[in-house]
Amino acid sequence: MKLTAEKDIAAKIAAAKAQLVMVETRPSAAAALGAAALAATAAVLMAGVVIVGPGVQFNDPSTLTR
């Protein structure tokens, strides 16, 4: 009887170990391109903020006199 219980426990341990095995996924080229595009967009936006800066004012051309 004890032998059967030990086999059941061993089977449950083996099943639990099988569920813990992680499957490695290959990196996706589309994900890399998406990350690069996001980084490039962020760089362009940050450069625009540096160039335009907080002290820049855009005057309304209709209020300007000649």
Side-chain angles (χ1 to χ4, degrees):
M1 169 115 66
K2 188 174 182 185
L3 187 60
T4 306
E6 289 176 358
K7 286 182 181 179
D8 289 341
I9 292 171
K12 288 180 182 179
I13 291 174
K17 283 182 180 180
Q19 290 179 353
L20 291 175
V21 174
M22 295 185 68
V23 177
E24 292 185 24
T25 58
R26 292 182 47 180
S28 167
L33 288 175
L38 180 64
T41 303
V44 169
L45 290 175
M46 285 188 286
V49 168
V50 170
I51 292 169
V52 174
V56 175
Q57 292 180 352
F58 295 103
N59 295 326
D60 187 13
S62 63
T63 60
L64 295 177
T65 57
R66 290 185 185 201

